[in-house]
Amino acid sequence: MVGVCVAAFVIHLIPLALPRNMPEQELAIARVSKSVESRVKVLLPLKEHPKATAAELREAAELLFDGAPVEAQELALEAQKREPAAVETQLLLARLCDQQRMERCVHAALEKANQVAPGDPRPDVLRAELQEKIGDMSGAAEAMTRAYQKAPDDPLMGLRYARLLSAARRPEEAWSVLTALHGKVPRARLLVEQGLVLGANGRDSEAVRLLKRATEEDPRLSFAYFELGKALYRMGEMDGAREALRQADRLDLGSPKALAALCAMQLQAKLLDDARLTRMDLERRFSDRMELIRQSCSLP
């Protein structure tokens, strides 16, 4: 029996002793590696590997995205050489260029993406996200208009489009887009989105009515209670806001968002004792999210 166990152990060690000549092996090592430097050492040689596919090079670039964007861009450019018509490569290059604040490079990658896949909405969606990130809501809405025109039957696209139109101070157009989504998204979710459009336009009392209807349609929809709490707070109804946010928290125990919003409201309303209790809840349940807690619930 001991001999059999030893033999089995040796057999399992054999693959580790063999030379690695497949990109998938390097990717597997990089996925479990915590160090950016070790990932670069393993993945950058894939640029010269004759067996590496464009998809594998893109995955390697994604693994280096946060810590080594220059090396990630080298891998993405090699992926472009091996598969010039892949829109995914251009989207990756655009994100890498944006991370390095190279606007002309971003523009070139998105233009190329539109050329290789003129009917694909993803380049326009990415442009909308990048514009929204810098606070250009009008530019984001325009980009999303182009994306929506390419995929008008996609309900998630419609919801994102309506949000951006609302943020760009175009509430009538946002409402029209949401109206077209009747029957394509759950009624409670649609009521919440309509409430958000009203609230963004200063019509909080109407927004509250719609958000309350959403909670009646789907009493398990945490998102509806969360937005209801914010709308009630804007109307000065602190007790109602607290109860709505507490219910949102009860329905989504894995997210600190509702309690963080409640604490921020309590601090703004100078309800310091209540804020301390809320912060204690946050620290007890989300000790791994201390930065978020400090930002939203910083007690004097």
Side-chain angles (χ1 to χ4, degrees):
M1 185 176 292
V2 172
V4 169
C5 291
V6 170
F9 179 71
V10 170
I11 289 170
H12 280 84
L13 287 179
I14 289 174
L16 299 179
L18 293 175
R20 300 196 309 266
N21 63 352
M22 295 298 291
E24 177 55 36
Q25 293 172 306
E26 312 300 333
L27 287 168
I29 293 170
R31 289 186 200 112
V32 299
S33 176
K34 303 297 184 183
S35 163
V36 174
E37 292 77 10
S38 61
R39 285 186 175 185
V40 169
K41 185 177 179 180
V42 169
L43 294 176
L44 194 57
L46 291 181
K47 187 176 68 167
E48 312 294 339
H49 202 299
K51 294 183 180 180
T53 65
E56 288 168 334
L57 289 165
R58 285 194 298 270
E59 183 181 351
E62 291 282 5
L63 288 167
L64 297 180
F65 190 95
D66 289 327
V70 174
E71 290 81 0
Q73 190 168 0
E74 291 183 40
L75 291 165
L77 289 170
E78 182 61 28
Q80 179 180 243
K81 291 179 185 177
R82 300 191 186 195
E83 193 178 358
V87 66
E88 292 82 6
T89 302
Q90 300 305 322
L91 296 175
L92 174 57
L93 281 168
R95 290 168 50 227
L96 284 164
C97 292
D98 175 71
Q99 189 186 45
Q100 298 171 77
R101 300 183 181 179
M102 299 188 295
E103 181 56 34
R104 291 177 62 184
C105 174
V106 173
H107 180 74
L110 291 176
E111 283 295 310
K112 179 69 173 175
N114 278 315
Q115 289 171 13
V116 299
D120 195 321
R122 288 177 294 172
D124 299 304
V125 171
L126 179 56
R127 169 57 74 182
E129 290 174 355
L130 297 179
Q131 294 300 109
E132 184 180 12
K133 187 170 71 172
I134 62 174
D136 180 8
M137 305 313 297
S138 294
E142 289 301 322
M144 205 63 191
T145 298
R146 296 190 293 272
Y148 184 67
Q149 289 169 348
K150 295 176 182 178
D153 296 325
D154 185 337
L156 292 179
M157 189 81 68
L159 291 174
R160 294 178 72 178
Y161 184 34
R163 287 270 189 105
L164 286 174
L165 286 171
S166 180
R169 300 291 187 267
R170 294 159 62 180
E172 293 82 7
E173 294 171 71
W175 193 270
S176 177
V177 171
L178 291 174
T179 300
L181 291 174
H182 277 288
K184 297 180 181 179
V185 298
R187 179 169 171 76
R189 175 65 188 273
L190 192 58
L191 287 168
V192 173
E193 297 295 337
Q194 291 175 326
L196 289 175
V197 171
L198 293 172
N201 202 35
R203 298 162 63 181
D204 283 320
S205 59
E206 296 171 75
V208 165
R209 282 198 293 273
L210 285 184
L211 292 167
K212 285 183 176 179
R213 282 174 56 193
T215 63
E216 293 165 2
E217 288 277 343
D218 185 355
R220 304 295 301 171
L221 187 59
S222 172
F223 176 48
Y225 286 99
F226 179 75
E227 295 299 339
L228 175 60
K230 293 199 299 183
L232 287 169
Y233 177 73
R234 291 195 299 270
M235 293 179 65
E237 298 183 23
M238 189 66 212
D239 289 342
R242 180 182 62 249
E243 181 52 40
L245 289 172
R246 285 287 182 183
Q247 181 62 10
D249 175 59
R250 285 191 286 270
L251 292 171
D252 188 5
L253 293 172
S255 171
K257 191 166 69 168
L259 288 182
L262 175 58
C263 186
M265 292 174 188
Q266 290 167 334
L267 287 172
Q268 194 170 25
K270 301 189 184 309
L271 300 172
L272 299 185
D273 290 340
D274 291 342
R276 287 191 183 92
L277 291 174
T278 304
R279 173 150 181 155
M280 287 172 60
D281 283 348
L282 280 165
E283 291 176 342
R284 175 176 54 84
R285 290 170 48 198
F286 304 101
S287 58
D288 58 333
R289 305 289 297 276
M290 289 307 298
E291 183 58 32
L292 179 145
I293 294 172
R294 279 191 291 269
Q295 290 176 358
S296 60
C297 193
S298 182
L299 291 166

